[in-house]
Amino acid sequence: MGFFDKLFRRKKVMQEKKIFLEREDSQLSQIATTEKQRGMVIVNHLSVDDAVAERLLERVIAFDVETTGLSAKSNRIIEIGAVLFENGEESKRYSTLVDAGVNVPPTVTAINHITNEMLLKAPREKFVYPEFLAFLGDALEGKTMLCAHNARFDMDFLSETLMRLGYDATISCVDTLALSRKMLKLRSNKLNTVAQYFGIENEQAHHAVADAEVCGKILQELLKLKKEQQKQYMQYLEESSLDEEEMETCAYIQKIIADHEGDLEFLGFSKNKKGYIDVIFISSVFKIKFMKKRKYILAEKRFFQNSDLEIEPCSKTEGTEAYVRVFFQNPFQLENVAESIWHIYKEHYDKEMYSLAMGYLTREDAVCIIKSLHTLSVYDVAKLLQRASEREEERLWKEKETERIAAEQQKEREKKAEEKKKAKEEKKAKEEKKAEEKKNVSAGRKSLGRPVLQMTDDLVIVARYESIAEAIRETGINSKSIRDAAKGVQKHAGGYVWKYEDEQQL
């Protein structure tokens, strides 16, 4: 190192020492003059529900600061960047370095590349913050929301600075770091990592306004993703919706658990594509199946050894031999297996709580799971069970009414059958009587036939017949010949003279 290099280096060190001392004196003087006029700033850190998401899509200010350290109490903001987004697009921005009257440590300069020399040319706090607050506008009243990546850090510095300078404000903000952790499940959720995930470039990392812009763009992408997830979730809820009878059964199961003072925090219900209803505490406890005429619980057989309800083996697609179907007709019949249901739930609950305690599962994960399920409040349970009771009473009344109507119909059928039988017998009697009368008439007619005489040519009677029919039977002579001979058409029939007896007597 040459003489002039040593000289310039010594001069630079002396300048930095002078700047540091000047900033220390200025900081002490500033703190002394502003402590007595400290303001009040309230910061509301909001979770992004549907209502908040709609407001953020309309208007939001993305915000970022560079500071001299990590403590909002002892360090200062040395750069502010803010970008206003309206309807998802950048509307305007604010960016400035801030001379806060303090020294910038070399370790900070190495990160954000802000030097003490740069801050000598920057405006002082008393000039910066009136301009910045004008940019924020109604955000100071909590109307327009702010967003930041790791918002608690940025908002701690902003609120502390405003209070130190004597300003009052109520600010609402959201954290894109927390939101990305919740929605993306990346290994790292640093600003630039999340930006890369969405294909957003940040050419000036650790430059406040550039980071604010990237933060705002990340928020827009997260909101779009949330909207799509909400759409998919609503579709899922529609497809997995439970009808009233299914909800009544779920309500009775929840009542059984509540009666045993069980924990209901992460209890919910879900219906899968195959129509099985899952009773869930973080994960599936057991399943319920509603068929057209029958309902059953699908669970391990060991819990139902002494059940009063009908039990049969499950199908091969439902599980192993260790699982059975436990049939029930209405929710109230589950009281017969209440202890079994409670023991299944308690054993499952203990396993899941162990997973939470060991860190295999986080409470945040459990909260996410419960948000995707159908859950029931105490009021819901009471209302559903009241409806189930009314439904059961209605079913019993209909059953009795059906039995009454069936009995009446059976009685009516028996009456009609008896009447039909009687009518048939009467008809048969009439037909028999008519046949008898016809027979009698026929017999009468036969008895009224004209006797005929068989004679020789000398009119000597050979034989007498009651009728021509009898003569035919006895003699075998043609009936026409006998009649013609009797009428005098011809003289003989079979070699004999024939005369009707009544005519012969004349």
Side-chain angles (χ1 to χ4, degrees), residues 354-417:
Y354 178 78
S355 295
L356 282 172
M358 296 301 294
Y360 302 143
L361 181 75
T362 66
R363 291 190 67 83
E364 186 179 33
D365 292 331
V367 169
C368 289
I369 291 169
I370 197 67
K371 285 182 178 179
S372 67
L373 304 176
H374 297 279
T375 56
L376 299 174
S377 66
V378 174
Y379 172 77
D380 293 332
V381 170
K383 185 177 179 182
L384 285 164
L385 293 183
Q386 174 64 30
R387 181 68 188 99
S389 178
E390 293 171 357
R391 187 191 300 279
E392 182 61 13
E393 288 177 3
E394 184 180 355
R395 186 190 69 80
L396 291 173
W397 179 84
K398 284 183 177 179
E399 192 175 90
K400 289 181 180 179
E401 188 66 10
T402 301
E403 290 175 357
R404 184 188 67 78
I405 293 171
E408 288 182 355
Q409 290 176 342
Q410 180 62 25
K411 189 175 180 180
E412 186 67 22
R413 283 194 296 269
E414 290 174 355
K415 182 180 178 182
K416 287 182 178 180

Side-chain angles (χ1 to χ4, degrees), residues 10-22:
R10 183 179 179 186
K11 183 177 181 181
K12 183 177 180 181
V13 170
M14 292 298 292
Q15 286 177 338
E16 289 182 351
K17 187 174 181 180
K18 181 180 179 182
I19 292 170
F20 175 78
L21 292 173
E22 287 176 352

Side-chain angles (χ1 to χ4, degrees), residues 7-248:
L7 182 63
F8 286 127
R9 182 183 177 188
R10 183 179 179 186
K11 183 177 181 181
K12 183 177 180 181
V13 170
M14 292 298 292
Q15 286 177 338
E16 289 182 351
K17 187 174 181 180
K18 181 180 179 182
I19 292 170
F20 175 78
L21 292 173
E22 287 176 352
R23 294 202 187 289
E24 289 294 315
D25 291 342
S26 175
Q27 180 181 5
L28 293 173
S29 175
Q30 189 173 5
I31 292 172
T33 57
T34 58
E35 273 184 344
K36 294 180 181 179
Q37 50 187 1
R38 189 173 177 82
M40 175 61 71
V41 176
I42 299 171
V43 179
N44 297 315
H45 293 272
L46 305 177
S47 59
V48 183
D49 58 18
D50 293 340
V52 170
E54 287 299 321
R55 288 178 59 194
L56 291 171
L57 285 169
E58 291 177 5
R59 183 181 174 90
V60 65
I61 297 174
F63 173 68
D64 187 67
V65 295
E66 295 297 330
T67 67
T68 59
L70 301 178
S71 172
K73 294 287 185 182
S74 57
N75 298 117
R76 294 289 182 265
I77 296 173
I78 54 176
E79 185 180 24
I80 298 173
V83 179
L84 173 64
F85 287 84
E86 294 181 298
N87 299 316
E89 299 292 334
E90 181 181 336
S91 176
K92 59 181 180 177
R93 61 175 53 198
Y94 180 87
S95 177
T96 185
L97 292 172
V98 183
D99 182 359
V102 295
N103 186 54
V104 181
T107 53
V108 172
T109 300
I111 296 172
N112 57 31
H113 308 294
I114 299 173
T115 65
N116 286 303
E117 287 80 359
M118 293 167 64
L119 296 184
L120 286 174
K121 300 176 183 179
R124 302 297 294 268
E125 285 182 337
K126 65 179 181 179
F127 299 112
V128 169
Y129 285 96
E131 287 183 354
F132 181 53
L133 296 183
F135 177 85
L136 293 179
D138 63 4
L140 300 173
E141 301 171 3
K143 294 180 179 179
T144 295
M145 286 182 282
L146 272 62
C147 74
H149 206 72
N150 192 13
R152 196 164 295 278
F153 175 85
D154 297 86
M155 296 313 301
D156 282 352
F157 269 92
L158 178 62
S159 59
E160 178 61 29
T161 301
L162 294 181
M163 288 189 290
R164 178 168 52 79
L165 296 176
Y167 293 104
D168 296 333
T170 299
I171 301 172
S172 296
C173 72
V174 296
D175 188 358
T176 54
L177 174 61
L179 192 58
S180 61
R181 281 175 176 165
K182 181 179 178 181
M183 297 181 65
L184 302 181
K185 306 297 182 185
L186 301 175
R187 289 186 178 181
S188 170
N189 289 277
K190 291 181 179 179
L191 183 71
N192 289 331
T193 305
V194 179
Q196 288 175 6
Y197 176 82
F198 286 118
I200 300 169
E201 294 185 6
N202 187 0
E203 297 179 354
Q204 292 181 298
H206 297 293
H207 181 45
V209 74
D211 286 352
E213 179 186 356
V214 169
C215 175
K217 289 180 178 179
I218 286 173
L219 177 64
Q220 301 305 315
E221 294 299 325
L222 288 170
L223 293 175
K224 290 176 187 176
L225 181 60
K226 181 176 177 61
K227 196 168 185 178
E228 181 60 29
Q229 289 178 346
Q230 181 65 14
K231 182 180 177 181
Q232 293 174 358
Y233 174 61
M234 295 306 294
Q235 183 178 351
Y236 160 76
L237 284 182
E238 185 177 348
E239 291 173 352
S240 65
S241 61
L242 280 65
D243 65 30
E244 192 168 13
E245 282 193 79
E246 291 168 339
M247 290 299 290
E248 288 166 4

